[in-house]
C-alpha cells in the first residue's frame, strides 16, 4: 500500500530548510564582479543552530530506525556522529573569528556568567546542550574515528 502523501510533500519544513540553504549558498557564491563574503560570527551562529537542529532530527531518526532496521540505524548513528563533528568545527570557527567592536566584552565561552548568557554566547549554550546528548550516546573514540568509506551499493 502506498502513502497518500506524495514524497515531495511529506516533509515540507525540511524541504523548505534545504531550499533556504541552497538559496543562501547561491547568494554566497563568488560572482565575476563581487567576491564571496567571508563568514562572520552571526552567520556561523545561525549555521550552528541549523546543524544542531539537524543533529537532533538525525538522532531521533537513528533511534526510531534502529529496532526494525539495525544496519540502517547504525548508518544513521554514524551520520549523527559525523554531523556532531561538523557542528563542533563550526563552533570552533565561530570563536576564531574576530569579535565586532560593540560586543567585545565577555566573548569567552562562559555562558554560565548570566542566566541567559551574553547574546554572543548563545552558540556556546546550544553547543553545550547538544554536546551533553552526544556524550550520553557516543564514545570519545567514536567521535575521533575518521569517516569510513562508502559501504553500500548505489543504483545508478
Amino acid at each position: 500500500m502506498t502513502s497518500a502523501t506524495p514524497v515531495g510533500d511529506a516533509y515540507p519544513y525540511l524541504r523548505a530548510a534545504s531550499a533556504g540553504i541552497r538559496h543562501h549558498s547561491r547568494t554566497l557564491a563568488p560572482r565575476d564582479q563581487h567576491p564571496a563574503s567571508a563568514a562572520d560570527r552571526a552567520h556561523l551562529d545561525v549555521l550552528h543552530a541549523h546543524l544542531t537542529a539537524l543533529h537532533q532530527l538525525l538522532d531521533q531518526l537513528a533511534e526510531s530506525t534502529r529496532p526494525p532496521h539495525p544496519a540502517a540505524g547504525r548508518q544513521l548513528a554514524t551520520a549523527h556522529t559525523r554531523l556532531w563533528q561538523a557542528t563542533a568545527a563550526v563552533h570552533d570557527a565561530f570563536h576564531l573569528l574576530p569579535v565586532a567592536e560593540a560586543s567585545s566584552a565577555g566573548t569567552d565561552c562562559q555562558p554560565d556568567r548570566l542566566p541567559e548568557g551574553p547574546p554572543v554566547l548563545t552558540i556556546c549554550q546550544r553547543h553545550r546542550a547538544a554536546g551533553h546528548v552526544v556524550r550520553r550516546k557516543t564514545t570519545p573514540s567514536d567521535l575521533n574515528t575518521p569517516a569510513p568509506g562508502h559501504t553500500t551499493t548505489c543504483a545508478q
Side-chain angles (χ1 to χ4, degrees):
M1 183 169 198
T2 62
S3 171
T5 305
V7 174
D9 296 332
Y11 307 100
Y13 296 114
L14 192 55
R15 286 176 5 99
S18 298
I21 290 173
R22 283 191 303 273
H23 172 73
H24 186 70
S25 296
R26 281 192 301 269
T27 61
L28 284 178
R31 295 191 179 104
D32 294 335
Q33 296 122 354
H34 305 291
S37 60
D40 59 6
R41 283 180 154 219
H43 187 177
L44 292 185
D45 186 23
V46 172
L47 180 59
H48 186 271
H50 184 79
L51 288 172
T52 53
L54 187 57
H55 186 260
Q56 183 179 10
L57 175 62
L58 199 52
D59 182 40
Q60 292 170 350
L61 287 172
E63 289 298 317
S64 63
T65 303
R66 189 173 285 134
H69 306 287
R74 281 191 303 274
Q75 289 296 322
L76 289 173
T78 299
H80 177 259
T81 300
R82 300 301 170 241
L83 185 59
W84 173 251
Q85 292 169 334
T87 305
V90 169
H91 176 257
D92 293 345
F94 173 89
H95 286 291
L96 292 174
L97 288 176
V99 179
E101 306 287 326
S103 63
S104 62
T107 58
D108 292 336
C109 196
Q110 299 173 352
D112 51 328
R113 285 186 180 172
L114 298 172
E116 297 174 1
V120 74
L121 294 181
T122 56
I123 188 173
C124 298
Q125 292 173 321
R126 187 182 325 111
H127 196 71
R128 279 183 160 183
H132 178 73
V133 173
V134 169
R135 284 188 297 279
R136 284 187 305 127
K137 297 183 175 197
T138 311
T139 66
S141 64
D142 286 342
L143 291 174
N144 294 321
T145 303
H150 192 69
T151 58
T152 60
T153 55
C154 297
Q156 296 285 331

